């Protein structure tokens, strides 16, 4: 079963159902039913036109659900509009659906969560991790968003800021999580940058390109994580770095700084340094100060503590870290790194082990476990 194919077809199938009159929540349910059916029957005999098959099955599931709902029996005449057999139109509705999910009737956080679930293909657990909330809380938020949009017309698409937030979270999940969505997020952000002249759109595209350029160096041949300072910079994609820096410089010249431009500036300083030792940490701290002013995000403050530790020494980094809640994701890992640099190997080893226990994925857990073992062997 080609799960990547199913994932790539989902937005277009969902868009076709919405254009044919299905409300969003019902359309998403119907598409999910069709995907389940595809997983069941395709291994025995995959269709010649997978997209057309999904459209037909999803539309029939939508109609079945409509007939079963007594309050919506008036929609039964939609059966006459069932798509004819044959190839479905090759239209990419993904970016349009991102805007539709960012409906003004939803709060920005609910709109982002709904889009990630319905269009981005992320699980509720993955979205909850991105938002730093319990999975049950996120499930309730997504359910409420579905109920809200099922009662409205999609004639008022949402704003650019919400769509950018969704694309950013999809990229992050694709870059470091279990589902590879990074390339799709870059593709959609390129489309958005072509359609909209906005410095933050350009900033996000630059940020994605700069991070994606380093992807080949992030893992060793055995799949283990390689920290930034230890990565083989010869494996980085210099063309993507050059493109990202050029896009960023053009955006910054417009003097309308936003959080994605600030993040891209930090990524550019890392990418532009010939070696880890030559990284301009002082300037990176200054950009983190700008980013903190723009977002006041605890995650930004956590990353700033690392930069301060590099620029002004580990004790300065630990002082910055002391002001933050130690329940923050990766707080223990940052503390371990700074304590190791300060020479306190016993505390560092304990904190690496604690961080490994809390790691959000297997690769990060294994890396932190090895760090703890390395320090324990030296004591």
């Amino acid at each position: 079963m080609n799960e990547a194919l199913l994932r790539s077809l989902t937005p277009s199938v969902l868009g076709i159902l919405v254009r044919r009159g299905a409300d969003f929540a019902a359309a998403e349910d119907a598409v999910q039913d069709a995907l389940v059916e595809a997983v069941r029957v395709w291994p025995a005999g995959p269709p010649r036109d997978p997209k057309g098959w999904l459209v037909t099955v999803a539309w029939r599931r939508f109609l079945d659900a409509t007939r079963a709902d007594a309050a919506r029996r008036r929609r039964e005449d939609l059966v006459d509009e069932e798509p004819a057999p044959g190839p479905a139109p090759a239209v990419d509705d993904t970016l349009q659906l991102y805007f539709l999910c960012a409906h003004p009737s939803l709060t920005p956080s609910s709109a982002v969560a709904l889009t990630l679930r319905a269009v981005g293909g992320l699980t509720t657990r993955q979205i909850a991790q991105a938002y730093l909330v319990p999975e049950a809380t996120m499930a309730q938020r997504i359910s409420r968003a579905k109920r809200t949009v099922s009662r409205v017309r999609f004639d008022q698409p949402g704003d650019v800021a919400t769509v950018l937030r969704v694309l950013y979270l999809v990229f992050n999940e694709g870059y470091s999580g279990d589902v590879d969505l990074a390339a799709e997020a870059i593709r959609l952000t390129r489309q958005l940058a072509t359609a909209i002249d906005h410095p933050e759109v350009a900033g996000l595209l630059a940020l994605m390109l700069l991070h994606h350029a380093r992807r080949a160096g992030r893992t060793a041949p055995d799949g283990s994580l390689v920290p930034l300072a230890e990565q083989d910079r010869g494996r980085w994609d210099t063309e993507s770095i050059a493109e990202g820096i050029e896009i960023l410089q053009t955006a910054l010249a417009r003097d309308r700084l936003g959080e994605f431009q600030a993040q891209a500036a930090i990524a550019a300083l890392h990418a532009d340094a010939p070696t880890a030792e030559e990284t301009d940490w002082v300037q990176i701290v200054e950009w983190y100060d700008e980013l903190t002013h723009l977002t006041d995000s605890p995650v930004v403050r956590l990353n700033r503590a690392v930069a301060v530790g590099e620029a002004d020494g580990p004790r300065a980094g630990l002082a910055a870290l002391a002001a933050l809640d130690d329940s923050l994701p990766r707080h223990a890992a940052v503390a371990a790194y700074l304590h190791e640099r300060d020479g306190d190997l016993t505390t560092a080893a304990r904190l690496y082990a604690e961080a490994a226990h809390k790691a959000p994925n297997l690769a990060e857990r294994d890396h932190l476990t090895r760090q703890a073992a390395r320090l324990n062997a030296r004591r």
Side-chain angles (χ1 to χ4, degrees):
M1 171 53 58
N2 191 332
E3 293 183 8
L5 174 62
L6 288 176
R7 187 180 300 280
S8 68
L9 292 175
T10 297
S12 186
V13 174
L14 183 57
I16 290 171
L17 265 64
V18 169
R19 288 202 306 275
R20 288 183 172 273
D23 64 68
F24 188 89
E28 201 229 343
D29 289 341
V31 172
Q32 293 301 319
D33 286 346
L35 294 176
V36 170
E37 184 69 5
V39 171
R40 187 181 71 84
V41 304
W42 283 14
R48 285 181 294 178
D49 177 19
K51 181 177 177 181
W53 188 97
L54 287 171
V55 169
T56 300
V57 173
W59 186 254
R60 286 173 178 163
R61 292 300 174 92
F62 165 70
L63 292 177
D64 288 344
T66 298
R67 295 190 192 98
D69 187 347
R72 298 179 183 181
R73 290 190 180 278
R74 66 183 181 278
R75 296 189 183 180
E76 288 189 352
D77 60 340
L78 291 176
V79 71
D80 296 330
E81 298 179 20
E82 180 176 331
V91 178
D92 185 353
D93 299 291
T94 309
L95 194 56
Q96 179 188 8
L97 286 170
Y98 272 60
F99 274 95
L100 292 178
C101 285
H103 196 275
S105 63
L106 297 174
T107 63
S109 60
S110 294
V112 170
L114 176 63
T115 313
L116 290 172
R117 182 70 186 91
V119 188
L122 275 65
T123 65
T124 303
R125 176 185 59 81
Q126 290 167 328
I127 302 168
Q129 289 176 348
Y131 270 88
L132 310 181
V133 300
E135 184 175 349
T137 300
M138 183 54 64
Q140 292 176 354
R141 184 180 299 177
I142 294 171
S143 294
R144 286 196 300 268
K146 285 183 179 180
R147 288 196 298 271
T148 299
V149 298
S150 69
R151 298 191 296 266
V152 300
R153 292 179 58 83
F154 287 107
D155 54 2
Q156 291 182 283
D159 64 358
V160 174
T162 301
V163 173
L164 289 179
R165 177 64 52 194
V166 175
L167 289 168
Y168 175 62
L169 290 174
V170 169
F171 176 82
N172 279 344
E173 189 61 44
Y175 188 65
S176 61
D178 302 325
V179 182
D180 188 358
L181 296 170
E184 173 69 356
I186 291 174
R187 183 183 71 83
L188 293 173
T189 306
R190 283 192 187 278
Q191 285 187 11
L192 191 59
T194 300
I196 299 176
D197 183 18
H198 192 295
E200 273 294 82
V201 177
L204 179 58
L205 178 57
L207 175 63
M208 289 179 176
L209 290 170
L210 289 164
H211 276 313
H212 206 59
R214 303 200 305 259
R215 189 169 191 177
R218 292 183 72 245
T219 55
D222 63 359
S224 60
L225 291 181
V226 180
L228 176 61
E230 300 172 19
Q231 289 176 18
D232 178 0
R233 300 184 178 221
R235 299 183 66 194
W236 291 0
D237 183 348
T238 55
E239 289 186 8
S240 291
I241 291 173
E243 182 186 5
I245 291 175
E246 181 180 358
I247 292 171
L248 172 64
Q249 289 174 337
T250 301
L252 290 175
R254 300 178 66 174
D255 199 24
R256 291 169 54 193
L257 184 64
E259 62 174 296
F260 293 121
Q261 295 169 73
Q263 288 191 57
I266 293 168
L269 287 167
H270 282 298
D272 203 37
T275 65
E277 293 72 24
E278 295 174 86
T279 303
D280 189 345
W281 286 106
V282 172
Q283 193 173 169
I284 287 176
V285 171
E286 292 173 355
W287 276 112
Y288 270 121
D289 289 339
E290 292 280 0
L291 192 54
T292 300
H293 176 73
L294 289 167
T295 67
D296 196 29
S297 163
V299 175
V300 170
R301 292 182 182 275
L302 185 70
N303 292 331
R304 180 185 178 277
V306 177
V308 169
E310 298 289 353
D312 301 326
R315 293 193 179 181
L318 287 167
L321 189 65
L324 302 176
D325 186 344
D326 62 9
S327 66
L328 276 172
R330 298 185 172 88
H331 184 284
V334 170
Y337 173 73
L338 292 172
H339 276 291
E340 180 184 358
R341 288 203 58 222
D342 196 38
D344 186 352
L345 302 189
T346 300
T347 300
R350 175 179 58 79
L351 287 168
Y352 275 130
E354 178 185 328
H357 180 70
K358 299 177 180 178
N361 57 66
L362 182 61
E364 190 168 335
R365 186 188 71 188
D366 289 347
H367 170 72
L368 293 167
T369 300
R370 284 193 295 271
Q371 296 294 87
R374 174 179 57 83
L375 293 187
N376 283 326
R378 290 173 55 184
R379 288 160 46 197

